Amino acid sequence: MLPSSDDCDECRPPGSTPATTAVALSSLPFIATFLLVSTIVLQKLFPILSGYASPNSKKINFNISPTRLTIQNFSALTSSTTIALAAVLAELILCEISGYIDPNVRRLAFHFTIALLLIILVIVIPSLQIHSVISAAGWDFTGKSRGRGRLRLAWVLQFISTAAWLVGFWWTGEQLLAKASSTPASAVEGSRSSSQTLSEACLSRVGIIGISFMALLSGFASVSAPWQTFFSRHRPVTEADVARKAAGLEATDDMLAAKRSRLRALERKIADSPQNKAGFFQKAMGSIIRGNADLAEVKALEMEIGGLETMASSLSASHNMLATRRRQQNRSRTFTGRL
């Protein structure tokens, strides 16, 4: 429950208002916690969880497209911000229990932290997930490979999917809240619309949907854990498997570098060609009569580079998974691993 302004008003004498300097100084522990946790997650935790911490994945990062690199950087920033805000929220709850720090500062930090968390959880993270699904389905958000029509259609799919998610989030939360209170959804909507703000309504939906999903995951884990522990046996991963996957990744990386080098050479050739410096009529007649083999090769190279980037990302994730399983197998043979 968020601290209300009435409770804070009772704690201070009439006519007293917190100074801006005092509020800023009292907020320093929360700001320091946010900066420290976000930096640790961004620099240490996220590369390990996403699989970019290995030497092979670093090599791949230099060869991916700028748009995909921007999405990766934005995903890392979103992840670090979410975990840092959760840490600040835990710190605020402890301060609320112990009565440490000024109540007005706590109230302001509560509202600011929860508002940012709701924006990230309800809008930003689902939009990133929808963007990754659409990109994996072959839709291009840059418009370089298949024209501007595909670009517009990709963004239309993004906006429609995000709007459908928001409608489904609101409707599902309303139905779950109605079932929890054993009243019709219309009655719940009417009783809550006058007393709840948008932030409180979103917070209640995040809570009820989160609890429901945690219950579903707990039930699935209670059934899956015995099967995975006693009956499922994975094939042991050998050094040859890891080396074979690393060789495939290195070969894909070499092919990607060669294709990129050929593409840069063709772009320089097209830029320096006499036909590029000719007039519009000469260009049109030349393209009609002879065609432009260099432009066709450039388009083919761009498609091949896109496919190789996808293959490199898949091979990198598979190699990281095999290497992790190999390390776990080696550790399970030690005394510490058996414990």
Side-chain angles (χ1 to χ4, degrees), residues 13-249:
S16 63
T17 56
T20 305
T21 305
V23 171
L25 291 176
S26 301
S27 303
L28 285 179
F30 306 128
I31 298 174
T33 301
F34 176 82
L35 294 177
L36 178 63
V37 175
S38 61
T39 303
I40 292 175
V41 173
L42 188 62
Q43 299 295 330
K44 302 296 182 181
L45 184 60
F46 185 81
I48 296 175
L49 295 178
S50 59
Y52 299 143
S54 65
N56 290 324
S57 60
K58 288 181 181 178
K59 192 187 301 181
I60 292 300
N61 261 344
F62 290 103
N63 292 328
I64 60 178
S65 62
T67 304
R68 189 175 300 177
L69 185 60
T70 303
I71 293 298
Q72 289 178 358
N73 293 335
F74 187 67
S75 300
L77 184 62
T78 303
S79 175
S80 61
T81 303
T82 305
I83 298 177
L85 287 174
V88 172
L89 186 60
E91 184 181 8
L92 281 169
I93 293 174
L94 293 177
C95 292
E96 188 73 22
I97 294 173
S98 61
Y100 181 68
I101 299 180
D102 184 64
N104 298 286
V105 177
R106 294 201 306 263
R107 179 169 59 87
L108 180 64
F110 259 117
H111 287 289
F112 184 75
T113 304
I114 290 177
L116 282 181
L117 276 175
L118 287 176
I119 291 173
I120 292 174
L121 293 175
V122 178
I123 299 176
V124 178
I125 293 179
S127 299
L128 285 174
Q129 186 65 34
I130 291 170
H131 185 280
S132 65
V133 171
I134 295 175
S135 299
W139 300 92
D140 188 13
F141 283 88
T142 60
K144 293 182 179 179
S145 60
R146 298 185 181 181
R148 299 186 62 86
R150 302 275 294 185
L151 170 64
R152 296 192 189 96
L153 188 55
W155 283 110
V156 167
L157 287 175
Q158 173 77 29
F159 290 138
I160 292 176
S161 302
T162 305
W165 151 253
L166 292 176
V167 172
F169 167 77
W170 191 267
W171 181 83
T172 304
E174 195 64 44
Q175 296 300 316
L176 291 175
L177 288 172
K179 290 181 179 179
S181 59
S182 300
T183 57
S186 59
V188 173
E189 179 67 26
S191 62
R192 292 177 181 271
S193 59
S194 58
S195 60
Q196 273 192 335
T197 62
L198 179 62
S199 176
E200 292 173 346
C202 290
L203 189 61
S204 62
R205 282 161 174 79
V206 169
I208 193 68
I209 292 175
I211 293 171
S212 302
F213 274 107
M214 287 297 293
L216 289 174
L217 291 175
S218 299
F220 176 78
S222 64
V223 176
S224 177
W227 171 262
Q228 296 293 332
T229 303
F230 298 107
F231 301 103
S232 179
R233 289 291 181 270
H234 296 287
R235 186 179 68 87
V237 179
T238 62
E239 290 291 342
D241 296 332
V242 179
R244 191 182 307 112
K245 192 66 68 173
L249 181 60

Side-chain angles (χ1 to χ4, degrees), residues 241-315:
D241 296 332
V242 179
R244 191 182 307 112
K245 192 66 68 173
L249 181 60
E250 186 177 357
T252 305
D253 187 25
D254 293 339
M255 291 174 60
L256 190 56
K259 297 291 184 181
R260 287 186 175 275
S261 177
R262 176 59 179 167
L263 180 61
R264 288 193 296 268
L266 281 175
E267 289 176 348
R268 287 194 299 268
K269 178 182 177 182
I270 293 173
D272 298 337
S273 63
Q275 184 181 358
N276 193 38
K277 301 177 182 178
F280 174 77
F281 181 75
Q282 295 177 352
K283 289 181 182 179
M285 292 302 296
S287 61
I288 293 173
I289 296 174
R290 296 186 304 274
N292 200 328
D294 292 337
L295 289 178
E297 188 175 356
V298 165
K299 292 181 180 179
L301 283 174
E302 287 178 349
M303 294 182 60
E304 292 176 3
I305 288 172
L308 286 174
E309 286 176 355
T310 305
M311 184 186 300
S313 300
S314 176
L315 286 174

